[in-house]
Structures are given as structure tokens and as C-alpha cells.
Amino acid sequence: MLHIQSILAVLAVLLAVAQAQVGPTIFSPAENSTIAPNSNLNIDFQYQNLGAGNYTLDVSFWQDAAATQLIETVLTGHSLDSGSSSGTSIAFALNASVSVKTPGSLNETFYMTLTEHASTQSNAGVTVQSMPRMLHSGAMTHLPTSLSALLLLGLLVVGYSSL
């Protein structure tokens, strides 16, 4: 019985360590949202309170879900509110929002990550990254205006000819 309790205790410690290393949680934009290239994007997120110190944020866009093929990092070193490690009511997470301009070279499907950098009294430097958020750009956003009008005109002609 003691053996099972010690295994459960080790698993509980490993689970707590694994949960402590999760990066920011992205609330907005929603998964699979349509994002236009070269537009302003408002990002709402939550990041961990690791104690008093300096917190910064990076926003990157990727070609793949594994976040290995970088499209562009659009924001680097954006200051976030410091956490707190004293008092009777400590928030384990803090909410924030940031606005960035999306890259013009977005694929049909792409991914966004938020990277939090924290330098606190107890940790010299902690870096955690969010799960990649899948987004996409609409196919019509890649077409020039004149080509879009030509496509619409062609569809209208085909539609009327079938009547």
C-alpha cells in the first residue's frame, strides 16, 4: 500500500510541474478565425503570475502547427503588468490584451503563438509559450480588387446563363 501511495505522490508532483509550465492562454481571436493580412489584430489572453518581476510578451506567426517554420514575429518585448507574490489574495493568472499588425505574407492556414518571458526574484528567466492557435486568411483576401471583381462578374454570367 505504501508503494502505491508513493507512486501517486510522484505522479501528483509531476502533474503540478507540468501544469506550471503552460504558457499564456489565448481567448481572442478564437480558434480557426479568419484574419486578414496587413490588418490590426486584437489579442486577449491570460498569463501566469510567477511573482513580482519583469514580464514581457512576444507574438509570432508560424506556417506549421509545431511552430518550427516562422513567418514573422510581429511583437517583441512588450511589457506586461508585474505579478504579485504577497498578500492575502493572490491571483494565479493575469489578464491582458495587445494589438498587433498581422503580416502580409500569411498562408491560407497559419498559427499564432504568444511567448511570455518572466524574470522574477526567484527565477532568473522563465520563458513559456502558448499552444499554437490555428487561424486562416480568406482566399478572397489574396486576390487584387480587380481580379475579385472579374471573378464576381464571371460567376454572375455563369449564373444568368444557366437560367
Side-chain angles (χ1 to χ4, degrees):
M1 187 67 164
L2 182 62
H3 184 64
I4 292 174
Q5 289 176 340
S6 60
I7 290 174
L8 290 175
V10 168
L11 288 175
V13 169
L14 289 176
L15 180 62
V17 170
Q19 285 181 339
Q21 295 180 10
V22 174
T25 302
I26 302 170
F27 297 128
S28 174
E31 184 81 23
N32 204 23
S33 291
T34 301
I35 306 298
N38 288 321
S39 65
N40 288 329
L41 175 64
N42 293 323
I43 304 167
D44 297 324
F45 63 96
Q46 185 177 66
Y47 61 100
Q48 292 181 25
N49 176 4
L50 301 175
N54 297 322
Y55 291 77
T56 60
L57 179 76
D58 300 341
V59 179
S60 301
F61 290 90
W62 305 88
Q63 292 180 9
D64 60 325
T68 58
Q69 298 174 358
L70 181 66
I71 295 174
E72 186 177 341
T73 299
V74 295
L75 184 66
T76 304
H78 177 76
S79 293
L80 298 172
D81 290 340
S82 177
S84 174
S85 59
S86 62
T88 57
S89 177
I90 298 174
F92 292 108
L94 303 168
N95 294 328
S97 62
V98 66
S99 182
V100 298
K101 184 168 177 128
T102 59
S105 58
L106 295 176
N107 300 329
E108 181 63 29
T109 301
F110 56 94
Y111 301 84
M112 178 184 71
T113 59
L114 304 181
T115 305
E116 172 191 353
H117 304 281
S119 180
T120 63
Q121 297 167 348
S122 60
N123 294 313
V126 175
T127 298
V128 288
Q129 187 176 59
S130 68
M131 295 292 296
R133 172 65 49 115
M134 184 177 73
L135 303 167
H136 67 274
S137 59
M140 292 297 284
T141 61
H142 295 294
L143 297 175
T145 306
S146 59
L147 191 54
S148 298
L150 184 61
L151 178 64
L152 182 61
L153 182 64
L155 291 172
L156 287 173
V157 168
V158 169
Y160 281 122
S161 66
S162 65
L163 291 176

